[in-house]
């Protein structure tokens, strides 16, 4: 419920998704990779997306009070 929760979570999500996209681009270009890296990046991206969702829900509840 902290006022910085949403902006910080959103910043981390954007940074994580950007790194994941660049990683995907490198894999598509033919660089070597491990599937566990794909899994880890997927998990991280989903986690921060969930944190953004939770922070948005908390902010919405706060504004209604």
């Amino acid at each position: 419920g902290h006022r910085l929760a949403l902006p910080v979570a959103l910043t981390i999500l954007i940074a994580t998704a950007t790194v994941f996209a660049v990683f995907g681009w490198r894999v598509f270009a033919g660089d070597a990779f491990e599937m566990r890296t794909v899994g880890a990046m997927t998990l991280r991206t989903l986690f921060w997306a969930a944190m953004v969702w939770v922070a948005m829900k908390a902010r919405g509840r706060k504004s209604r009070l």
Side-chain angles (χ1 to χ4, degrees):
H2 193 278
R3 67 181 179 87
L4 291 178
L6 181 57
V8 169
L10 190 57
T11 301
I12 294 171
L13 173 61
I14 291 168
T16 303
T18 301
V19 169
F20 198 10
V22 171
F23 172 75
W25 176 58
R26 297 297 305 186
V27 168
F28 185 73
D31 284 357
F33 71 98
E34 293 212 17
M35 279 307 295
R36 64 183 179 175
T37 304
V38 175
M41 289 303 295
T42 301
L43 184 63
R44 286 182 184 108
T45 304
L46 290 174
F47 173 82
W48 285 109
M51 292 301 104
V52 167
W53 183 78
V54 168
M56 286 173 59
K57 287 290 192 182
R59 182 176 274 189
R61 269 188 246 120
K62 235 183 206 181
S63 65
R64 283 188 240 144
L65 295 176

